[in-house]
Amino acid sequence: MLKSVLAAGAAAILALSAFPAASRDRYAERPPVMISPDLSAPWVMQLRDNRSPMAAKRQRSQASGPSLFGTPAPQQVKRTRQKVSPFRTASVPAAKPRAVRAPQVDPKYLPQMVDYDGGRKPGTIVIDTRDNFLYLVQEGGKARRYGVGTGKPGFEWAGTHKITSKRVWPDWRPPAQMIARERAKGRHLPAHVAGGPENPLGARALYLGSTLYRIHGTNQPWTIGGAVSSGCIRMRNEDVVDLYERVGVGTTVVVM
């Protein structure tokens, strides 16, 4: 009997001696919360505690779970930001533009100073429709020469006229006979084309007398040097602008 009492007492003493340790473990303070120095990081990355690896694992599992508001949790947002969208244009190499060669003009048709002894007064424009050159006669037996396009077979003409008006980026109104002629070929010309880069009269026009003929620019510079027009004198846009600045209304134009 005495032995039983002593054994029970010893067990009670052992239980009492173990209680403080268990209580200390249960009610001990949590480890301090560590704040990340990067305050721009998501909140879940700022709050790191030093609990056991198992507790940290549970925290990460809870943090990656679904949000109560139907939006991804912070870590999910971070993964979404890192994902590369299939629609990013930066990942598609830009197509290299194809080289387009500008139509070439024979260098002999580019503007140049030449000798002139044709007997015309300085300031006169002389157009040679056989060789497709326009000359602006200068002082001292010189002339400024430009390449031109002239009337195709059946549209050649010759004569002397004055420049009666000048236009910058002129409108084009094809004459009725031209519209009818082209319609017979299956090509329909508009009644009016506003001035601009697509206009066949180009950047400038010098109107000759009361005729339908003009000295004008072109949107087809590769035709310079040929018999290509319906009677007008065609120049590169650069050249007709230069000529336009050098002559005025009343200038004599001789077409040969």
Side-chain angles (χ1 to χ4, degrees):
M1 182 67 178
L2 180 58
K3 289 182 178 182
S4 299
V5 172
L6 290 175
I13 292 171
L14 287 174
L16 290 174
S17 62
F19 178 81
S23 63
R24 281 196 305 271
D25 184 62
R26 180 174 180 182
Y27 297 105
E29 292 184 1
R30 296 288 179 90
V33 173
M34 305 298 294
I35 304 298
S36 166
D38 182 8
L39 297 180
S40 67
W43 67 269
V44 75
M45 297 301 295
Q46 292 182 32
L47 302 178
R48 298 168 49 207
D49 79 25
N50 294 334
R51 289 181 292 177
S52 66
M54 185 61 68
K57 183 176 180 180
R58 283 198 303 269
Q59 181 184 9
R60 286 195 298 270
S61 175
Q62 292 170 358
S64 62
S67 166
L68 294 177
F69 299 97
T71 57
Q75 284 187 340
Q76 290 178 315
V77 171
K78 184 177 180 181
R79 287 196 298 270
T80 302
R81 288 174 182 169
Q82 292 175 348
K83 184 178 180 180
V84 178
S85 168
F87 299 102
R88 288 182 59 188
T89 56
S91 63
V92 180
K96 294 181 179 179
R98 294 186 299 172
V100 178
R101 296 186 61 184
Q104 298 298 308
V105 175
D106 190 322
K108 74 178 182 180
Y109 294 117
L110 299 178
Q112 53 191 290
M113 294 298 295
V114 298
D115 294 328
Y116 177 77
D117 60 1
R120 301 291 179 176
K121 295 189 304 183
T124 303
I125 293 174
V126 179
I127 300 171
D128 181 350
T129 59
R130 181 179 56 187
D131 293 330
N132 293 317
F133 289 120
L134 180 152
Y135 298 88
L136 176 59
V137 181
Q138 309 283 293
E139 299 280 355
K142 296 290 184 179
R144 186 168 180 81
R145 190 181 79 183
Y146 306 85
V148 295
T150 54
K152 56 193 172 185
F155 293 88
E156 309 96 331
W157 66 279
T160 300
H161 296 281
K162 301 282 188 180
I163 293 176
T164 51
S165 64
K166 301 166 63 179
R167 296 286 186 275
V168 174
W169 291 109
D171 289 356
W172 182 46
R173 291 178 172 81
Q177 57 267 41
M178 179 184 288
I179 292 176
R181 186 171 62 246
E182 295 300 319
R183 184 185 298 118
K185 299 176 184 176
R187 182 185 177 202
H188 298 276
L189 296 182
H192 171 258
V193 178
E198 300 303 318
N199 191 308
L201 298 186
R204 303 288 187 273
L206 307 170
Y207 294 80
L208 304 180
S210 60
T211 72
L212 297 176
Y213 300 126
R214 290 150 289 205
I215 300 170
H216 63 77
T218 182
N219 58 0
Q220 297 178 324
W222 57 88
T223 62
I224 299 303
V228 291
S229 75
S230 295
C232 286
I233 308 304
R234 185 182 298 185
M235 304 179 72
R236 296 190 316 153
N237 280 336
E238 302 93 320
D239 297 344
V240 76
V241 168
D242 182 72
L243 180 66
Y244 185 97
E245 299 299 329
R246 295 174 184 271
V247 301
V249 172
T251 297
T252 298
V253 178
V254 180
V255 179
M256 304 183 344

